[in-house]
C-alpha cells in the first residue's frame, strides 16, 4: 500500500489532465437534466424566499426563453410554487457565472480531458449587455439566448467536433499577455475567437458572429471556468485529500467541496466583496460572493495570478491584502503543468494559516435593476473555508 500523501495523489491527478474544447452540448442531454430544471451558481438555495432578486430575474429569463410561461408574473409563480426545479450547476459539472442561469435548451461549452475521462461544462458567455449573469430582466434577453443557442453554438460546434481545441497553449499565451483569466480575459477571448475564425476560414457568413465576439471581452471566462472545473474534479475521490474541487457563491452562501469527500458541500455565509461601485451607480449595493467562477481563483488563476497580471493588481490595489503576490504560496499545492504556475487550493493549509484565495468578482446590484455596478475581490480567510453545514 502506498504511503504517499493524499494531497500529492490528488494533485497528480489534476496535473495529468489535458483539457480540450470538444464542442457544444445541450444541457438537456446531460444525465438528470431533461425535465423542467434550471441551474444556478453556488450552493442550493434553502427556498424561494432566499433567492436574491438578480438570480430570480435570471431564472425568469430562462423560463421565458424555454417558453414555459408567457410573462414575467407567471414565470415567477412557476419558481415560487416549485413547478420548476432550481438546482446548483456544479452538482452536474456545470459552472455558471455570477447571477446567471441555464435551462434545458442552453448550449454548453464542453471541455474534456484528452488524456483520460471526464468533462465539464459552462454556458457561452452572453456578451456585455443582454446577460443572465447580470441579473436584470430585459425583454430582449430571451431572444438573445435563443441566438446564442441556435446560431453561435452550432457554428462553434461544427468547428470543434472533428478537431477539438487544446486549451493549454491558449491559456498560457493569455497569461503571458497579462490576463488574470477571471476579471481580465481580453487576451484569452481574442485568442479563442481568432482560433475559431481561423478554422472557419471564411466558409461561413460570420458577420454577426464576429460582431458579437468583438464585443465580448469576457468570452474566454466561461471556457476557463469549465477547464478549471474539469481539472479540479479530477482529484475527487482521493480519501483524505483536502484539495478543493468545487467552490462557488449564490449571493447568500458560499460553498465548497473537498477531494476526499467530494459529494459533501460545506456551506458558510457568502463573504462580502471589497470593491468600488462605479460613480454612475452611486448608492447601489452589491451582493456578497456570487458565481461559480470562484473555481478559477481556487485553482490558482484570477486573484492568485496578480504577480503576472500587473494592470489588474494596480487597478485593485486599494482593495487587495498586503503581500498579494506572495499570498498564494501559503495554500496552493504545487506547479500545474497546464498553467505553468502554482495551483490547487489546499483547505487544510488555509485553515492552518487563516489565509485563503483572493477571488476576483463583479458586484451585482442587490435590487436586480442595474446589473454589474462595480468590481472588486473577496479576501477569504480560514472561517470562509471552515467545515460548515454539509449535505
Amino acid at each position: 500500500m502506498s504511503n504517499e500523501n493524499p494531497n500529492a495523489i490528488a494533485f497528480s491527478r489534476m496535473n495529468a489532465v489535458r483539457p480540450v474544447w470538444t464542442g457544444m452540448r445541450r444541457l438537456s442531454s446531460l444525465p438528470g437534466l431533461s425535465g423542467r430544471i434550471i441551474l444556478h451558481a453556488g450552493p442550493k438555495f434553502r427556498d424561494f424566499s432566499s433567492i436574491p432578486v438578480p438570480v430570480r430575474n435570471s431564472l425568469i429569463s430562462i423560463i421565458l426563453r424555454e417558453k414555459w410561461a408567457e410573462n414575467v408574473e407567471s414565470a415567477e409563480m412557476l419558481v415560487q410554487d416549485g413547478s420548476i426545479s432550481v438546482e446548483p450547476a456544479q452538482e452536474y459539472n456545470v459552472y455558471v457565472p455570477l447571477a446567471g442561469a441555464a435551462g434545458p435548451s442552453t448550449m454548453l461549452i464542453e471541455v474534456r480531458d484528452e488524456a483520460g475521462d471526464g468533462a465539464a461544462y459552462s454556458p457561452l458567455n452572453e456578451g456585455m449587455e443582454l446577460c443572465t449573469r447580470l441579473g436584470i430582466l430585459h425583454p430582449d434577453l430571451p431572444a438573445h439566448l435563443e441566438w446564442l443557442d441556435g446560431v453561435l453554438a452550432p457554428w462553434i460546434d461544427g468547428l470543434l467536433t472533428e478537431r477539438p481545441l487544446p486549451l493549454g497553449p491558449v491559456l498560457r499565451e493569455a497569461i503571458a499577455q497579462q490576463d488574470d483569466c477571471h476579471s481580465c480575459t481580453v487576451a484569452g477571448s481574442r485568442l479563442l475567437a481568432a482560433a475559431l475564425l481561423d478554422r472557419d476560414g471564411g466558409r461561413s457568413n460570420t458577420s454577426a458572429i464576429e460582431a458579437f465576439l468583438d464585443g465580448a471581452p469576457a468570452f474566454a471566462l466561461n471556457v476557463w471556468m469549465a477547464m478549471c472545473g474539469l481539472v479540479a474534479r479530477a482529484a475527487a475521490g482521493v480519501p483524505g485529500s483536502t484539495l478543493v474541487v468545487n467552490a462557488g457563491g449564490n449571493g447568500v452562501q458560499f460553498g465548497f467541496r473537498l477531494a476526499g469527500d467530494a459529494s459533501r458541500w460545506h456551506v458558510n455565509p457568502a463573504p462580502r466583496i471589497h470593491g468600488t461601485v462605479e460613480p454612475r451607480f452611486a448608492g447601489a449595493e452589491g451582493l456578497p460572493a456570487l458565481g461559480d467562477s470562484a473555481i478559477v481563483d481556487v485553482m490558482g488563476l484570477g486573484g492568485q495570478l496578480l504577480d503576472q497580471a500587473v494592470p489588474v493588481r494596480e487597478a485593485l490595489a486599494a482593495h487587495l491584502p498586503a503581500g498579494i503576490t506572495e499570498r498564494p504560496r501559503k495554500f496552493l499545492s504545487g506547479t500545474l503543468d497546464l498553467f505553468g504556475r502554482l495551483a490547487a487550493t489546499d483547505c487544510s493549509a488555509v485553515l492552518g494559516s487563516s489565509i485563503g484565495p483572493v477571488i476576483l468578482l463583479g458586484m451585482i446590484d442587490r435590487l436586480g435593476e442595474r446589473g454589474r455596478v462595480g468590481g472588486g475581490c473577496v479576501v477569504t480567510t480560514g472561517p470562509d473555508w471552515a467545515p460548515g453545514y454539509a449535505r
Side-chain angles (χ1 to χ4, degrees):
M1 180 179 294
S2 172
N3 292 321
E4 191 173 1
N5 183 287
N7 283 345
I9 296 172
F11 186 81
S12 69
R13 292 187 182 183
M14 291 181 177
N15 204 28
V17 176
R18 298 294 178 265
V20 291
W21 187 0
T22 52
M24 304 297 300
R25 185 166 176 180
R26 198 171 298 279
L27 185 141
S28 61
S29 71
L30 299 182
L33 292 173
S34 59
R36 286 196 168 192
I37 185 168
I38 302 178
L39 304 185
H40 64 83
K44 188 176 180 65
F45 292 108
R46 183 181 66 254
D47 52 31
F48 177 79
S49 66
S50 67
I51 303 176
V53 173
V55 179
R56 290 189 198 182
N57 287 345
S58 295
L59 299 176
I60 290 168
S61 293
I62 292 295
I63 289 171
L64 295 175
R65 183 263 179 274
E66 296 288 347
K67 298 179 172 57
W68 294 336
E70 294 183 354
N71 55 54
V72 169
E73 292 74 23
S74 57
E76 184 171 20
M77 186 58 65
L78 289 177
V79 180
Q80 190 168 1
D81 67 16
S83 298
I84 305 296
S85 181
V86 178
E87 298 292 334
Q90 290 189 55
E91 293 281 357
Y92 302 89
N93 292 329
V94 179
Y95 296 80
V96 173
L98 292 172
S105 298
T106 303
M107 292 293 285
L108 304 173
I109 295 160
E110 181 179 67
V111 177
R112 288 192 169 272
D113 180 8
E114 187 178 42
D117 298 325
Y121 306 90
S122 183
L124 284 166
N125 182 271
E126 301 154 328
M128 300 302 288
E129 295 181 9
L130 298 173
C131 314
T132 62
R133 72 176 187 272
L134 299 182
I136 302 174
L137 281 175
H138 193 290
D140 296 334
L141 178 53
H144 177 60
L145 297 176
E146 289 191 52
W147 181 85
L148 292 171
D149 297 332
V151 177
L152 182 58
W155 176 76
I156 293 172
D157 191 60
L159 301 174
L160 299 178
T161 300
E162 297 296 326
R163 186 160 60 101
L165 178 64
L167 293 176
V170 181
L171 175 73
R172 292 189 291 274
E173 177 58 27
I175 292 172
Q177 294 187 33
Q178 297 192 315
D179 271 8
D180 66 66
C181 303
H182 188 174
S183 73
C184 179
T185 58
V186 175
S189 298
R190 185 174 60 247
L191 290 164
L192 288 172
L196 293 172
L197 290 166
D198 181 65
R199 289 190 176 196
D200 182 83
R203 293 187 300 273
S204 309
N205 180 2
T206 59
S207 57
I209 290 171
E210 289 186 61
F212 172 80
L213 293 174
D214 285 344
F219 181 73
L221 174 57
N222 299 48
V223 179
W224 301 152
M225 288 168 61
M227 177 198 70
C228 287
L230 176 70
V231 175
R233 288 292 297 177
V238 177
S241 173
T242 55
L243 299 193
V244 179
V245 295
N246 290 96
N250 63 20
V252 180
Q253 296 175 311
F254 180 80
F256 64 95
R257 298 197 284 196
L258 304 178
D261 188 5
S263 65
R264 183 183 185 194
W265 279 98
H266 299 284
V267 180
N268 293 309
R272 74 181 186 90
I273 298 174
H274 301 266
T276 302
V277 173
E278 296 177 21
R280 63 194 176 110
F281 297 127
E285 181 183 357
L287 286 170
L290 176 65
D292 291 335
S293 56
I295 193 66
V296 174
D297 305 73
V298 167
M299 277 305 301
L301 303 176
Q304 284 46 259
L305 206 60
L306 297 185
D307 61 325
Q308 177 78 18
V310 177
V312 178
R313 187 178 78 227
E314 292 177 345
L316 291 175
H319 308 292
L320 294 172
I324 184 62
T325 59
E326 296 299 320
R327 185 183 178 97
R329 298 181 183 277
K330 301 284 188 181
F331 53 83
L332 294 181
S333 301
T335 299
L336 197 73
D337 293 342
L338 176 66
F339 301 169
R341 304 267 314 182
L342 289 175
T345 294
D346 176 5
C347 185
S348 64
V350 173
L351 295 176
S353 66
S354 199
I355 293 175
V358 171
I359 301 172
L360 307 182
L361 287 172
M363 303 169 71
I364 298 299
D365 175 30
R366 184 183 291 273
L367 299 179
E369 298 172 352
R370 307 173 84 176
R372 187 185 186 279
V373 297
C377 62
V378 166
V379 182
T380 68
T381 61
D384 298 310
W385 298 94
Y389 167 75
R391 62 179 181 84

